[in-house]
Amino acid sequence: MTPPSRHVPVMLQRCLDMLAPAMGRPGAVVVDCTLGLGGHSEALLTRFPEARLVALDRDKEALRLAGERLAPFGERATLVHAVYDELPEVLGRLGLPRVQGVLFDLGVSSMQLDEADRGFAYAQDAPLDMRMDQTAGVSAAEVLNTYPPGELVRILRAYGEEKQAKRIVSAIVREREKEPFTRSARLVELIREALPQAAKRTGGNPAKRTFQALRIEVNGELSVLESAIPAAVAALAVGGRIAVLSYHSLEDRLVKQVLSAGAATTAPPGLPVVPEQYQPRLKLLTRGAELPTEEEIAENRRAAPARLRGAERIREDHR
């Protein structure tokens, strides 16, 4: 399957429109922090013919496939093997102190979900890997087989918002003593058996929350995001814009906190006039989070949980 035929970028037109006012000037630089299969990147290079793209991904297979897709754009596209919290180092190496646009499309890429042997999807049996960069870090199987029970409960509650975390972890601990976990189907079956009937009747596949929690832990997604969003805001030139697509409430909350903080005054209360150094650095471009349209969800079910937030840099930090 060729990449373009299997990858539908989420809320693509809205992301392009949000970034457009910052991308008009010749030599504008836009960073795609989550390249994936290159759908958003291809559209950015096409829509903004004067712009240069820097694209990051931790997944070497994604970089290879996206590289083929973006080859026609030649030197306008620079692809880098990096996690998105490494953005300051990447821009430093490229001699780009400021950029005009930044895009994040968080979560798992279509390719990672579609390739059964990566172990991201609970719908098909696969090795329990879940690493976005298969050259580094611990796999989901190692997390399941070696983490203390209390830590597993914390992960399922914090990252999967799983109310039945204790029940699931008790079953995992009991089963891993008999035989270590290696494949996803066994975990899915165990979760089904561990949950009470009422919990199985709502919210789709009962394994969904546990798989999300394991994926976030394996890839350090929230801790990476916590430093990546402020770093991206800091890299924006005045007039530059950031657009962030999140797919669950934990990501969206983090993004909201950073952008809202940047758009607030830092002045002590009660000042009659707010001095320049306390003025907001950002202007929010969305009221709350924007959602995909019903038409888009009908065309691309993976767009359903998406939440889009954006902001514009309106002044430099006061040193």
Side-chain angles (χ1 to χ4, degrees):
M1 210 189 285
T2 58
S5 72
R6 67 175 175 180
H7 178 50
V8 184
V10 171
M11 295 180 79
L12 177 61
Q13 199 53 50
R14 188 65 194 98
C15 290
L16 294 174
D17 291 347
M18 191 177 277
L19 295 172
M23 299 309 302
R25 68 198 75 167
V29 177
V30 61
V31 183
D32 185 345
C33 287
T34 46
L35 173 63
L37 288 170
H40 284 109
S41 280
E42 182 180 44
L44 288 164
L45 287 162
T46 304
R47 168 93 178 255
F48 309 118
E50 300 282 312
R52 175 182 173 189
L53 169 88
V54 176
L56 282 56
D57 209 291
R58 61 168 94 183
D59 189 324
K60 287 185 171 174
E61 181 63 6
L63 284 165
R64 185 184 69 76
L65 289 167
E68 291 172 11
R69 182 178 193 161
L70 302 179
F73 297 98
E75 292 187 351
R76 288 179 58 210
T78 304
L79 275 50
V80 185
H81 181 234
V83 184
Y84 42 74
D85 65 343
E86 298 172 74
L87 179 65
E89 292 81 2
V90 170
L91 294 178
R93 286 201 303 272
L94 295 171
L96 297 168
R98 286 283 186 267
V99 300
Q100 280 65 48
V102 180
L103 173 69
F104 285 87
D105 182 12
L106 301 168
V108 192
S109 80
S110 297
M111 179 198 74
Q112 290 162 342
L113 283 170
D114 291 340
E115 296 200 346
D117 63 354
R118 302 295 289 271
F120 285 99
Y122 39 79
Q124 43 202 359
D125 187 29
L128 278 165
D129 191 327
M130 298 197 197
R131 288 173 299 166
M132 290 177 183
D133 178 353
Q134 291 190 294
T135 65
V138 299
S139 68
E142 288 175 75
V143 171
L144 279 175
N145 294 325
T146 65
Y147 276 32
E151 187 63 1
L152 285 175
V153 170
R154 183 192 69 78
I155 289 164
L156 263 57
R157 279 191 184 144
Y159 301 159
E161 299 178 282
E162 174 57 77
K163 294 184 177 71
Q164 304 290 335
K166 271 195 157 166
R167 206 183 265 253
I168 292 169
V169 169
S170 296
I172 288 168
V173 171
R174 194 173 60 243
E175 286 300 311
R176 77 185 185 184
E177 284 170 6
K178 299 176 193 170
E179 189 188 338
F181 284 89
T182 57
R183 299 189 68 82
S184 58
R186 181 177 167 218
L187 178 60
V188 171
E189 187 55 34
L190 174 141
I191 293 166
R192 277 189 200 284
E193 288 173 7
L195 291 182
Q197 277 310 118
K200 286 189 251 195
R201 282 198 285 271
T202 54
N205 192 307
K208 183 168 126 183
R209 290 178 295 277
T210 297
F211 272 64
Q212 173 181 298
L214 286 170
R215 191 198 83 216
I216 289 172
E217 171 65 18
V218 165
N219 296 291
E221 286 174 46
L222 290 176
S223 55
V224 167
L225 189 61
E226 229 167 323
S227 51
I229 301 292
V233 167
L236 287 176
V238 172
R241 290 180 163 216
I242 180 171
V244 187
L245 281 164
S246 315
Y247 293 85
H248 56 76
S249 58
L250 302 163
E251 289 175 340
D252 183 51
R253 204 175 304 147
L254 262 176
V255 175
K256 177 187 176 181
Q257 283 166 355
V258 175
L259 299 188
S260 298
T265 171
T266 55
L271 292 185
V273 178
V274 176
E276 170 69 14
Q277 70 261 35
Y278 298 129
Q279 297 282 359
R281 290 179 303 152
L282 298 178
K283 178 180 81 179
L284 299 181
L285 300 172
T286 49
R287 294 188 61 164
E290 287 188 15
L291 311 180
T293 61
E294 286 176 19
E295 295 77 31
E296 179 172 3
I297 294 169
E299 282 172 33
N300 178 14
R301 61 184 174 77
R302 286 184 186 158
R307 302 284 178 272
L308 175 64
R309 292 182 189 270
E312 179 182 343
R313 182 74 179 256
I314 53 174
R315 72 170 186 88
E316 282 292 352
D317 287 337
H318 187 82
R319 294 278 179 265

